[in-house]
Amino acid sequence: MARNHTGPAAATGNKYEIIGADVPDETLFRGDLLVASLSESPRSVNSIYYYDDTGSLLFERLCKEETYYLFRTEREILAEYSKTIAGITGPVSLIELGSGNAEKTTLLIDAYVETHGLTFYAAVDINRSILERAAENILSVSSDLNFLGVVGTYQTGLAEITSLVGPKLLFCLGSTIGNMHDDELDNLLRSARSALSPGDYFLVGIDLDKETEILEAAYNSQTAILTNLCVLQHLNWRFSGDFDLFHFRHVAFHNKSLHRMESHLEAMRAQSINLQRLKFSFHLEEGEMIRTEIMRKVQINEFNDLFFDYEFLNVKYWTDRNQKYALILFKVS
Ligand SMILES: C[S@@+](CC[C@H](N)C(=O)[O-])C[C@H]1O[C@@H](n2cnc3c(N)ncnc32)[C@H](O)[C@@H]1O
């Protein structure tokens, strides 16, 4: 699906396009990787399986919950500092990884359009329907914008933007980077570094480490429980599975030593599971858990050090007034 995207100037007149529909599902949702992670001890499922159409809608609902402070706090920071960010980077092509419905992104885009005029914005997401909603959200607030939706993984999306000419701001909001395990984060930072050039920017929204009570409240609401259980529904649909949602319960806790929240699904009875399309069966004991997501809770300095190893230098960071969440701007050295 590689094409020549040439950034703001050359994109004039081409306001709305979604590409990537030709990438086969098997490339995006790798059954072999799922079988491997379900065969390990402890068993796990990649958090990509949260985001079918139902899961994406549930995530939007979660973002509006009182206890889920992440959405509000990031929006608060963007509302206050988007213009500052646009001022620091100057005119750039905007590329977002895991855009979701891009509701908060409208604040950033507004600032760029107001400060620099016509802006090019590419949104990468695994879910096509959410990209359509992102386009609606973005284009309803801005007319001076060229929108490119890329249906794909972070990796296929980053491969797509290597053909973009001119300065860029890559960004990833919603603490999405916090869902990645060390090897996934390493992969992402390597790919991001090679897709960008010296002088380009990378803006990352990330949740900060905090009290267990606040963290566990955020990930144990009714919507969080439903969202987690729906991962099984997604697996049943995609791989002809026979998970019975009534035989699992949601468990989310603060793993203090690893500085992260973890969501799991616990088997409430011994059972055998068959994923027909993958020709894969396995047995779960009563009480056995399948980990469905990690959510890193970071210290800003440690995060800066990690990014430094990939040639991303911290330019500046901003937090909300209660210091719950941070938006960090890095520049490629
Ligand atoms: C935590 S949500 C954040 C959404 C939005 N950025 C926000 O701040 O509200 C993560 C988003 O990344 C997408 N996503 C998850 N895993 C992905 C992957 N491996 N490749 C591409 N997109 C992915 C999901 O569909 C979802 O929209």
Side-chain angles (χ1 to χ4, degrees), residues 19 63 76-77 83 92 102 107 110 190-191 206 236 243 250 267 275 281 304 306 308-309 312-313 323-324 331:
I19 61 169
C63 286
E76 183 185 318
I77 302 168
K83 274 200 186 154
V92 285
L107 296 165
D110 264 356
R190 275 176 204 282
S191 313
I206 191 79
N236 282 347
F243 283 105
H250 163 90
L275 294 167
S281 304
N304 286 343
L306 171 71
F308 185 80
D309 292 343
F312 291 111
L313 304 187
Q323 314 238 313
K324 282 186 173 162
K331 188 173 188 172

Side-chain angles (χ1 to χ4, degrees), residues 48 51 59 74 96 98-100 104 125-126 152-154 173-174 176:
I48 203 171
Y51 298 101
F59 178 73
E74 190 174 51
E96 180 167 17
S99 65
K104 280 170 280 158
D125 204 286
I126 195 71
T153 63
Y154 307 127
L173 304 178
T176 301

